[in-house]
Amino acid sequence: MIRLAFASLANRKSSAWLTILAIAVSALLLIGVERVRTQTQDNFANTISGTDLIVGARTGSTQLLLSSVFHIGALNNSMTWQSYTHIKELPGVAWNIPMALGDSFSGYPVVGTNEDFFRHFKYASEVALEFGSGRAFHADDQAVLGAEVAQRMQLNVGDALTIAHGSGGISFSDHDAHPFQVTGILQRTGTPVDQAIYVPLAGLGLVHGELIHDDNDDSHDHEHADTEQQPVYTLSAVLLGLDNRALALRMQRQINTYREEPLSAIMPGLALTDLWRTLSLFEKALFTVSILVVATGLLGMLTALLASLRERRREMAVLRSIGAGPFTLFGLLVSEAFMLALAGVSIGVLMLFAVLHFGADWLLLHTGLLLRATPLTITEWSLVGAILAAAILLSFIPAWRAYRNALADGLTIRL
C-alpha cells in the first residue's frame, strides 16, 4: 500500500511537493514557537540563581526584576546609600551585591557594582561566573565585559572604553574625562550578564561626581583620616543572599516596612512567575496563530486530494480491474495523506534544526534569544503526533469519496 501510494504521489509531483512545503512551513512555525516559548522561559529562569531577595526603591516587582537582572527598562527612583548600609547589616544577610544602573556603552548597559558580584552572582543551577580572560577590576578606572559585548565591540583585555550617561541605546553625554580600562572578560553564560559592562561603584561615582571628601574632621569622631572619600551616590538595586532561605519572607516584610525610605524587596522566583503569568496571553495568542497556520497547511492537503479525485477516477477503475477493493482505495488515500504529512513534518523539523544550528549565534546577537538545537521534547513530539493524526483524520473525507466512487463506478469509468 505504501509503495502504491508513493507511486501515485510521484505521478503528481508538483502538487505533492507544494503540499509538503505548506505542511513543512506550518510545522516549522508551530514547533518553533513552542521551542522559543519553552527555551526562553528556561533562559529567564536560569538568569539568576541563589539570590534570595532583590531590593530597590518602591516599584512593581516585575519592573524591579527586569531592570536589575535583565537590564530591560529603567527604574524611576533610586535607593540611598544609607538604606543600603542598613540592609546589608541586617541579621541573616550572608552577602550582598549593590548595583547602580543608568549608563551605557554603545547601547549596552553599564552596571556599577563591586567585586562581590563576581564572587556571589550565580545563574542556571547555582553556576558561578568565570573569566574567559583577565580578572576582576581592582581599581576605580577598570571594567569587566560580558562575553557578547567583548565579541561584538571587538574589545580585549587592556583596551579602553568611555561610557555615556543614559541607557537603552540613548546617550545624553559621554564621560570622556573618565575612561575605563578592560581588565577581564567573562565567559559566555547565555544570560544578560553577557550583554553588560561592569565597573566599580567608586569609579561610577567619580564619573558622576558623587564622591565627596569629608573635611569636617574636628566636629566628628572618625576612625579614618580626613582624606577618606565618603560615598554619597545612590543605588538602583541590591541583590541579597541569606544565611537561611526560610528567613526570606520575614526579611522581605522587614524591608518593605522600612520607615526611613520606601523600599521594595522581591523574591526572584515569585517575580518570574508573575512575569510569565503576565505574558501568558501573548503566548496563547502566538500559539493560536501557529495552530491556524498548521490548519491552513492541512486544509491545503485536503483540497489537493479532493481536487485530484475527479482526475483519478480512471486510475481508480484500473486499480479495481486488477483486484483492488473499495477498502484498498480508501487505504490508498489515507496512506497518501499520511506520507504527505510525514514528509512535511520531517522537513519542517529539519528546517528548524538547521535554523537553530546555523543561526543560533545570529539570533543571540540580534535578538538576545539563546535557542539550542536540542532533541525534540515530549511536548514537541506531541505536536508532531497531533499534526500527523489531524492529517489522517482529514484524509478520511477524500478517502470516503474515493470509496463511494469505487462502489458506484465498478469497472466503468464515469466522467
Side-chain angles (χ1 to χ4, degrees):
M1 182 64 67
I2 297 297
R3 186 166 57 182
L4 182 61
F6 181 80
S8 179
L9 291 175
N11 192 47
R12 296 175 285 110
K13 289 185 292 186
S14 298
S15 61
W17 276 112
L18 287 175
T19 303
I20 290 173
L21 181 60
I23 296 175
V25 172
S26 59
L28 167 66
L29 180 60
L30 180 63
I31 301 174
V33 166
E34 173 62 21
R35 175 147 298 204
V36 169
R37 185 188 70 83
T38 55
Q39 291 199 358
T40 301
Q41 190 168 355
D42 291 341
N43 291 340
F44 266 62
N46 291 333
T47 296
I48 186 169
S49 176
T51 296
D52 298 306
L53 291 174
I54 302 175
V55 183
R58 183 64 52 83
T59 186
S61 60
T62 300
Q63 183 180 11
L64 180 56
L65 176 73
L66 291 178
S67 298
S68 60
V69 177
F70 299 97
H71 311 312
I72 299 174
L75 294 170
N76 296 325
N77 300 314
S78 55
M79 180 172 58
T80 63
W81 188 263
Q82 289 75 16
S83 296
Y84 163 65
T85 303
H86 169 78
I87 290 170
K88 73 177 184 177
E89 294 176 354
L90 288 174
V93 175
W95 53 264
N96 69 88
I97 302 174
M99 303 176 72
L101 308 170
D103 291 286
S104 64
F105 170 70
S106 297
Y108 291 101
V110 172
V111 180
T113 185
N114 58 26
E115 292 183 48
D116 287 336
F117 178 83
F118 309 108
R119 297 191 188 102
H120 300 298
F121 186 90
K122 293 181 174 60
Y123 65 99
S125 299
E126 303 269 346
V127 178
L129 297 176
E130 295 183 2
F131 282 86
S133 60
R135 54 171 176 78
F137 48 67
H138 295 293
D140 295 349
D141 61 347
Q142 296 177 347
V144 171
L145 306 184
E148 181 181 339
V149 178
Q151 179 181 346
R152 293 203 63 183
M153 303 308 300
Q154 298 182 347
L155 292 172
N156 298 301
V157 174
D159 292 344
L161 58 89
T162 301
I163 67 174
H165 187 63
S167 58
I170 302 175
S171 301
F172 300 107
S173 61
D174 291 333
H175 301 301
D176 299 327
H178 299 279
F180 290 87
Q181 184 182 33
V182 178
T183 61
I185 298 173
L186 294 169
Q187 286 189 356
R188 187 172 292 275
T189 65
T191 72
V193 170
D194 300 339
Q195 306 169 36
I197 299 96
Y198 301 91
V199 300
L201 276 172
L204 204 60
L206 287 173
V207 167
H208 293 160
E210 290 180 329
L211 287 177
I212 61 173
H213 288 281
D214 184 9
D215 298 325
N216 220 356
D217 184 45
D218 295 334
S219 58
H220 296 284
D221 260 337
H222 290 303
E223 298 178 359
H224 305 289
D226 58 4
T227 57
E228 180 188 5
Q229 290 182 319
Q230 302 297 323
V232 297
Y233 39 80
T234 56
L235 299 176
S236 301
V238 180
L239 309 185
L240 296 181
L242 306 181
D243 292 324
N244 187 350
R245 290 189 174 180
L247 301 175
L249 280 174
R250 190 176 71 181
M251 183 76 69
Q252 182 184 32
R253 185 165 51 252
Q254 185 176 357
I255 294 173
N256 286 338
T257 56
Y258 181 57
R259 294 184 178 181
E260 300 300 323
E261 182 181 2
L263 299 175
S264 292
I266 65 171
M267 298 181 184
L270 293 178
L272 277 171
T273 301
D274 292 339
L275 174 62
W276 286 113
R277 190 179 296 115
T278 303
L279 297 177
S280 63
L281 181 62
F282 174 75
E283 290 181 11
K284 291 177 181 177
L286 193 58
F287 188 74
T288 301
V289 171
S290 303
I291 291 291
L292 292 176
V293 173
V294 172
T296 302
L298 294 177
L299 288 175
M301 178 198 71
L302 174 61
T303 303
L305 291 175
L306 287 173
S308 67
L309 283 183
R310 183 174 178 84
E311 302 172 0
R312 299 176 65 186
R313 294 186 83 162
R314 183 185 299 274
E315 176 187 341
M316 301 299 175
V318 172
L319 291 174
R320 290 281 283 156
S321 68
I322 60 176
F327 284 105
T328 302
L329 301 183
F330 184 94
L332 174 63
L333 269 294
V334 173
S335 298
E336 288 183 9
F338 177 76
M339 291 177 64
L340 289 172
L342 182 61
V345 170
S346 300
I347 293 175
V349 171
L350 290 176
M351 290 169 61
L352 173 64
F353 278 94
V355 170
L356 295 179
H357 180 74
F358 296 105
D361 291 339
W362 186 91
L363 287 172
L364 179 62
L365 293 178
H366 291 84
T367 68
L369 292 176
L370 177 62
L371 301 178
R372 297 174 293 273
T374 55
L376 294 180
T377 63
I378 295 177
T379 302
E380 291 167 346
W381 276 115
S382 299
L383 293 175
V384 169
I387 295 174
L388 296 177
I392 292 174
L393 289 176
L394 285 176
S395 69
F396 285 176
I397 298 175
W400 175 253
R401 290 192 61 179
Y403 172 81
R404 293 288 302 273
N405 290 342
L407 288 179
D409 291 349
L411 300 180
T412 305
I413 305 169
R414 299 184 181 179
L415 301 176

